[in-house]
Amino acid sequence: MSYKKFLPLVVALLSGHVAAHNHDSITDKAVQLREQALNHSDPYGIVESLTVEVGHRLPGTKNDERAVEWAVKKLKSFGFDKVYTEDVDIPVWHRGVEKAEITFPYPQKLVITALGGSVPTPKDGITASVVRFDSFDALKKAKKGSLKGKIAFVDELTPKHREGNGYGKNSVIRRTSASIAADKGAIGVVIRSIGTSKNRFAHTGQMSYAKGSKKIPIGALSSPDANLLATMLKKAGHVKLSMTLATEILPAGKSANVIAEIKGREKPEEVIILGAHLDSWDLGTGALDDGAGVGIVSEAARLIAAMPQKPRRTIRLVLWAAEEIGLVGSKQYVREHMAELKNIKLVSESDFGGSNIFRFDSNFASSDLHFVDNVMKVLAPLGIEKGNNTAGGGPDSWPFRMKGVPVFSLRQNGIDYFDYHHTPNDTLDKLDPKQMQQNVAAWAAVIYMAAESDVEFSHLPVKQ
Amino acid sequence: MSYKKFLPLVVALLSGHVAAHNHDSITDKAVQLREQALNHSDPYGIVESLTVEVGHRLPGTKNDERAVEWAVKKLKSFGFDKVYTEDVDIPVWHRGVEKAEITFPYPQKLVITALGGSVPTPKDGITASVVRFDSFDALKKAKKGSLKGKIAFVDELTPKHREGNGYGKNSVIRRTSASIAADKGAIGVVIRSIGTSKNRFAHTGQMSYAKGSKKIPIGALSSPDANLLATMLKKAGHVKLSMTLATEILPAGKSANVIAEIKGREKPEEVIILGAHLDSWDLGTGALDDGAGVGIVSEAARLIAAMPQKPRRTIRLVLWAAEEIGLVGSKQYVREHMAELKNIKLVSESDFGGSNIFRFDSNFASSDLHFVDNVMKVLAPLGIEKGNNTAGGGPDSWPFRMKGVPVFSLRQNGIDYFDYHHTPNDTLDKLDPKQMQQNVAAWAAVIYMAAESDVEFSHLPVKQ
């Protein structure tokens, strides 16, 4: 055998060795990042700064503007290559006074909150008899005209689940009950809050009206108040409710996606996006939703930016605008970045509070699944297990995934998340700094490895 | 030996046997009551009725009047020998609008509630710089004049404890901070709620002004809002707070103690009093404080009233008026029943929620302590242990104890009680029907045994 015959094998072995060495080096650096995050990151401090210095961040409010200023200033202090904003056009809705009381037979005040997007009641409110439905299905089955002049009460429980499945299933009640009830003649709707706590907080959240349906006001009652109303109906048969929701639907306004970049040293045009949303509902201070995400991904990106050698691909941190009112910031981003989309390799968002990550789910082409095994070497010591390949990637990643961009999800323990979500009780004290550091560790490792690796991250079929 | 020599011994043995037999019979009947309570009592149903059909019961409101009507009707349906009311003269205070916000440097709304008895702020509120004290002691040590024109912020944590010791220690902060701060020049006070939960509810409760001090408004912040204010002060140094408390101090009014009796079959003039207070604060529906007590003692008395043979002494169930605003109903009762007081053998109140009883404490003359050993035979199987002889007997028993009447306390697990107490979150869903039945079992047994036995229950030295 001549030497030449062996050459391809030798080259293959050598390159294999080099690749393996290179790969080890990536893993080693990811492990270093992970350990640094576990011991020296401060995602909680970022959320403290945001919730104390800004507070809530309802799109279209002065607070939302202050949040954008806060984010630009904060990210500029983190050593990124560039920090900038991109305007986002938003619908503007304000809450105003909200109150409800049972007026007959046993007068009692109830804790209610308007759902985002709801039209107001007349100034003096509406008062009407209540018709209760023990499930969303029962509401849908009610006969046309059967709710004429009534207030519909949709009283379905939302169960607790580590991955928030109860919310996933029940948020449709919040989003669509107004038009369904209006089509049957109702003049208003109250729902049992789509939440999992027994505390006396009403959970807000976005709703919308179906085309052609009459727009009627809708609010959510706290769990104890839904219980009270249900029990009174059972005891008395006939109950009258009065509610005033002084919501305002205002002219369209502006917000902004806040963006920071670590420019890739070899393939700057290829982009890995990690995000969280900067906006929040106005009842709490948005510490869990999504201050926690802002803290986690900002710290992860900061740690990567501080590495002696920048990764090969560009890392783009985006703090999305107006997620709560319909993924407005990410949808506009995708529309405006269509030309660049083929170079967006991977997208993910942290938007499920600050508790420990327990699983890594991907949504990759099968040819890229070996990346999962690589990252698992770094994630497993964090108590994170390998998951499925049907990840959603977080709300603001979905407009990307629709267009074929691969996504991943670092799944967090959400057993308590819907206890606080969209209520006045979404405040800083609900976060655990140690668990947030575990999140930063996982995010920093995955994002770094994706940006440094030569995995293709092939785009997936577009969804309709 | 003649027969006569043995006679005294025989008599002693025989009477001993009879006494033992009689005693066994009392114990047997107490055990039967206990088992009936565990399996067939419905204290939760009473609280459900009260909280659904009436709701809160702030003294001097229409709801308080409705509660008295509700109680008379409910107790009349329970088969007592007599149900009646005795008028109580009460001071009347209404809450009105309450709001607070940080106006500088980072505007944010805070959750606040006025303390009962607080004077109002001017109509447009007060706005002033905040001076924080990390403890009540620190406030007391502040120099005269040092708070001139300021709002004092007393930021002491209340720890959790099974027996509520944290509240016991810290309620003085709520009761007295206004005058202490006013004497140093403050124009208003906010305190961290005297409560143990991290939920965003402010805890109300009664305060009073020291004679000669300027009356300044005082409110309590929820725990997350106290954290926010403290952190902002730490970050910014100087914080301005605006607060509006539109409280009303109205002309004196009337409420009523609601009383039901089981007339003693042998010694009707000797009375055992068991009680709970009917009034509540106005933020929640007063399910734990003190709907639970109303349900527990009413069911205990109902079970005794349903026995084929009434106990020897009279049992008097009293649902006290206006406990929250200063034990007003029980104090007036003692004043008006001084002539009868020597015949009041024993008093106790259930006023610590609805969780399991874990201990029986007495406050008896030493000659009566054998009664404790007797009741312990019936209580021990309920998981109740023998306690000390320094019982307080519950708030409304204290005016009796002051005059020398023996009291006892069936101590409940209060680890969560101050999570809900005096907040909007004091609602029915926080109660566990099974644990309330355990309470009824213990109360029925103790009250029956006290009323049937020949234990003297000698009065104790009067307290000053």
Side-chain angles (χ1 to χ4, degrees):
Chain A
M1 289 203 303
S2 77
Y3 177 81
K4 281 195 172 172
K5 265 186 145 174
F6 282 94
L7 195 59
L9 179 60
V10 170
V11 170
L13 281 169
L14 279 172
S15 65
H17 178 75
V18 169
H21 181 81
N22 184 40
H23 176 72
D24 284 350
S25 163
I26 295 178
T27 305
D28 290 348
K29 284 186 179 154
V31 167
Q32 283 168 28
L33 271 173
R34 182 190 75 197
E35 296 305 305
Q36 208 179 344
L38 285 177
N39 298 302
H40 304 290
S41 69
D42 185 19
Y44 181 90
I46 295 176
V47 191
E48 180 176 275
S49 171
L50 176 58
T51 56
V52 170
E53 294 162 34
V54 180
H56 86 72
R57 297 143 336 252
L58 184 70
T61 61
K62 185 76 192 160
N63 268 34
D64 189 42
E65 291 174 28
R66 289 164 58 204
V68 170
E69 289 164 23
W70 171 91
V72 169
K73 194 174 158 195
K74 183 66 73 179
L75 295 181
K76 280 191 173 165
S77 76
F78 277 11
F80 295 115
D81 295 316
K82 118 176 155 171
V83 174
Y84 56 103
T85 62
E86 292 184 1
D87 278 2
V88 174
D89 303 303
I90 55 168
V92 179
W93 175 91
H94 285 182
R95 182 172 302 283
V97 170
E98 45 194 20
K99 55 186 184 180
E101 57 184 314
I102 294 167
T103 57
F104 176 88
Y106 308 117
Q108 295 220 37
K109 288 187 181 167
L110 303 178
V111 173
I112 195 171
T113 195
L115 297 185
S118 173
V119 294
T121 60
K123 194 168 171 294
D124 296 327
I126 55 172
T127 303
S129 299
V130 176
V131 180
R132 175 177 176 268
F133 298 96
D134 61 8
S135 71
F136 183 53
D137 279 344
L139 170 70
K140 287 189 284 189
K141 283 179 189 152
K143 289 206 178 114
K144 209 170 165 84
S146 65
L147 295 177
K148 195 169 173 202
K150 312 283 192 190
I151 294 174
F153 169 33
V154 190
D155 191 19
E156 183 162 331
L157 280 169
T158 299
K160 272 200 174 217
H161 190 282
R162 184 175 68 160
E163 295 172 45
N165 302 8
Y167 179 81
K169 179 178 158 288
N170 281 8
S171 58
V172 64
I173 301 173
R174 189 188 73 208
R175 285 186 276 107
T176 65
S177 287
S179 290
I180 294 168
D183 290 350
K184 299 171 196 297
I187 62 167
V189 181
V190 291
I191 63 170
R192 177 185 285 273
S193 283
I194 310 303
T196 53
S197 129
K198 286 162 87 177
N199 287 325
R200 203 172 181 192
F201 295 113
H203 295 240
T204 191
Q206 193 66 8
M207 56 76 61
S208 62
Y209 294 104
K211 248 187 188 160
S213 289
K214 185 161 186 275
K215 294 182 177 181
I216 63 173
I218 181 167
L221 297 174
S222 84
S223 162
D225 291 280
N227 293 345
L228 179 68
L229 182 54
T231 309
M232 203 184 290
L233 277 160
K234 202 170 159 189
K235 277 181 182 271
H238 179 208
V239 171
K240 282 187 152 185
L241 182 73
S242 172
M243 71 176 184
T244 303
L245 303 177
T247 61
E248 293 178 278
I249 293 166
L250 298 164
K254 292 275 184 199
S255 186
N257 294 323
V258 180
I259 304 166
E261 284 189 10
I262 305 165
K263 195 176 174 186
R265 73 171 190 279
E266 284 182 15
K267 297 188 166 186
E269 73 288 359
E270 293 189 3
V271 179
I272 309 290
I273 292 180
L274 76 165
H277 66 85
L278 186 57
D279 67 309
S280 78
W281 285 105
D282 52 334
L283 299 175
T285 60
L288 279 72
D289 187 11
D290 184 22
V294 169
I296 290 162
V297 296
S298 299
E299 275 294 85
R302 183 182 67 79
L303 290 177
I304 299 171
M307 293 174 82
Q309 187 185 48
K310 301 291 156 78
R312 295 168 63 234
R313 289 168 170 150
T314 290
I315 292 170
R316 191 174 289 162
L317 168 68
V318 190
L319 303 183
W320 302 108
E323 185 272 347
E324 293 293 2
I325 59 174
L327 318 181
V328 181
S330 54
K331 283 178 178 170
Q332 182 164 341
Y333 188 95
V334 169
R335 279 199 310 276
E336 293 180 352
H337 289 259
M338 280 306 288
E340 188 198 12
L341 217 62
K342 63 179 187 304
N343 279 328
I344 296 180
K345 293 279 154 190
L346 198 54
V347 180
S348 189
E349 181 177 37
S350 172
D351 181 20
F352 207 55
S355 294
N356 274 337
I357 295 166
F358 63 89
R359 204 173 72 214
F360 178 85
D361 292 344
S362 57
N363 198 330
F364 295 167
S366 57
S367 53
D368 295 327
L369 282 173
H370 58 287
F371 178 73
V372 176
D373 296 315
N374 285 342
V375 295
M376 284 313 302
K377 290 174 201 158
V378 185
L379 297 183
L382 293 170
I384 299 172
E385 61 189 36
K386 183 177 167 176
N388 59 52
N389 197 38
T390 58
D396 286 306
S397 305
W398 199 242
F400 293 87
R401 176 62 193 83
M402 292 283 285
K403 299 293 178 195
V405 181
V407 301
F408 68 85
S409 294
L410 285 161
R411 303 298 297 260
Q412 295 164 287
N413 177 0
I415 192 76
D416 292 334
Y417 185 66
F418 293 106
D419 287 357
Y420 305 113
H421 175 259
H422 296 190
T423 73
N425 209 20
D426 179 355
T427 51
L428 183 66
D429 51 292
K430 312 308 183 302
L431 290 170
D432 173 5
K434 287 309 287 179
Q435 294 194 50
M436 294 184 73
Q437 286 178 321
Q438 186 255 19
N439 275 257
V440 176
W443 275 91
V446 174
I447 293 294
Y448 168 73
M449 290 178 83
E452 186 64 25
S453 82
D454 51 10
V455 175
E456 182 52 39
F457 297 117
S458 303
H459 276 209
L460 302 157
V462 167
K463 288 185 182 273
Q464 297 308 324
Chain B
M1 287 196 306
S2 78
Y3 176 80
K4 278 195 170 171
K5 265 185 143 171
F6 283 95
L7 195 60
L9 178 61
V10 170
V11 170
L13 280 169
L14 278 171
S15 65
H17 179 75
V18 168
H21 182 82
N22 182 42
H23 176 71
D24 284 351
S25 164
I26 295 178
T27 305
D28 289 350
K29 284 183 182 159
V31 168
Q32 283 168 31
L33 271 173
R34 181 190 76 198
E35 295 305 304
Q36 210 180 343
L38 285 178
N39 297 301
H40 303 290
S41 71
D42 185 20
Y44 182 89
I46 295 175
V47 190
E48 180 177 275
S49 170
L50 176 58
T51 56
V52 170
E53 295 162 32
V54 179
H56 85 73
R57 299 155 319 265
L58 184 70
T61 62
K62 186 75 191 159
N63 268 34
D64 188 43
E65 291 174 28
R66 289 165 58 204
V68 170
E69 289 164 22
W70 171 91
V72 168
K73 196 175 157 194
K74 183 66 76 180
L75 296 182
K76 281 192 171 164
S77 76
F78 277 10
F80 295 114
D81 295 317
K82 128 173 151 172
V83 174
Y84 56 102
T85 61
E86 291 184 1
D87 278 2
V88 174
D89 303 304
I90 55 169
V92 179
W93 175 92
H94 285 183
R95 181 171 305 282
V97 170
E98 44 194 22
K99 55 186 185 180
E101 57 185 313
I102 294 167
T103 56
F104 176 88
Y106 308 118
Q108 295 220 38
K109 288 186 180 166
L110 304 178
V111 173
I112 194 170
T113 196
L115 298 184
S118 172
V119 295
T121 61
K123 195 167 171 296
D124 296 327
I126 56 173
T127 302
S129 299
V130 176
V131 180
R132 175 177 176 269
F133 298 94
D134 62 8
S135 70
F136 182 53
D137 279 345
L139 170 71
K140 287 188 286 187
K141 283 179 190 152
K143 289 206 178 115
K144 208 168 167 83
S146 65
L147 294 178
K148 195 173 176 199
K150 312 282 190 188
I151 294 174
F153 169 32
V154 190
D155 191 19
E156 181 161 332
L157 278 169
T158 299
K160 272 199 175 218
H161 191 281
R162 186 173 69 161
E163 296 170 43
N165 303 9
Y167 179 82
K169 178 177 158 291
N170 281 9
S171 58
V172 65
I173 301 174
R174 188 187 75 208
R175 285 185 276 108
T176 65
S177 286
S179 291
I180 295 169
D183 290 349
K184 299 169 195 300
I187 61 165
V189 181
V190 292
I191 63 169
R192 176 184 285 272
S193 282
I194 310 303
T196 53
S197 134
K198 286 161 87 174
N199 288 323
R200 204 173 179 193
F201 296 113
H203 295 239
T204 189
Q206 193 66 8
M207 56 75 61
S208 63
Y209 294 104
K211 250 187 189 159
S213 289
K214 187 163 186 272
K215 294 182 176 183
I216 63 173
I218 180 166
L221 298 174
S222 85
S223 160
D225 291 279
N227 293 344
L228 178 68
L229 181 54
T231 309
M232 203 183 291
L233 277 160
K234 201 169 161 189
K235 277 181 182 274
H238 178 207
V239 171
K240 281 186 152 188
L241 182 73
S242 171
M243 72 174 183
T244 303
L245 304 176
T247 60
E248 293 177 278
I249 294 166
L250 298 165
K254 291 278 184 197
S255 187
N257 294 322
V258 180
I259 305 166
E261 284 189 9
I262 305 166
K263 195 176 172 187
R265 73 172 191 279
E266 285 182 14
K267 297 187 166 185
E269 75 288 358
E270 293 190 4
V271 180
I272 308 291
I273 293 181
L274 75 166
H277 67 85
L278 186 57
D279 67 309
S280 79
W281 285 105
D282 52 334
L283 299 174
T285 59
L288 280 73
D289 187 10
D290 183 23
V294 169
I296 290 162
V297 296
S298 298
E299 275 294 85
R302 184 183 67 78
L303 290 176
I304 299 172
M307 292 173 84
Q309 189 185 46
K310 301 293 157 73
R312 295 168 65 234
R313 288 167 171 149
T314 290
I315 293 172
R316 188 174 290 162
L317 168 69
V318 189
L319 303 184
W320 302 109
E323 184 274 344
E324 294 293 3
I325 59 175
L327 318 181
V328 182
S330 53
K331 282 180 179 169
Q332 183 164 344
Y333 188 94
V334 169
R335 279 199 309 277
E336 294 181 352
H337 289 258
M338 280 304 288
E340 191 201 10
L341 216 62
K342 65 181 184 305
N343 280 325
I344 297 180
K345 293 279 153 189
L346 199 56
V347 179
S348 190
E349 180 177 38
S350 173
D351 182 21
F352 207 55
S355 294
N356 275 337
I357 294 165
F358 64 90
R359 204 173 72 214
F360 178 85
D361 290 346
S362 57
N363 199 328
F364 296 166
S366 58
S367 53
D368 295 326
L369 281 172
H370 59 288
F371 179 73
V372 176
D373 295 316
N374 285 341
V375 295
M376 284 313 301
K377 291 175 199 158
V378 185
L379 297 183
L382 293 170
I384 299 171
E385 62 190 34
K386 183 177 167 177
N388 58 50
N389 197 38
T390 58
D396 285 307
S397 306
W398 199 242
F400 293 87
R401 176 63 193 82
M402 293 283 284
K403 299 293 179 193
V405 182
V407 301
F408 68 86
S409 293
L410 285 161
R411 303 297 298 259
Q412 296 165 286
N413 177 358
I415 192 78
D416 292 334
Y417 185 67
F418 294 106
D419 286 359
Y420 304 112
H421 175 257
H422 297 188
T423 74
N425 209 19
D426 179 356
T427 52
L428 184 65
D429 51 292
K430 310 309 182 305
L431 290 170
D432 173 3
K434 288 308 289 179
Q435 295 194 51
M436 294 184 74
Q437 287 179 320
Q438 187 254 17
N439 276 257
V440 176
W443 277 91
V446 175
I447 293 294
Y448 168 73
M449 291 178 82
E452 185 64 24
S453 82
D454 51 10
V455 176
E456 182 53 37
F457 297 117
S458 304
H459 277 210
L460 302 157
V462 168
K463 287 185 181 273
Q464 296 310 325

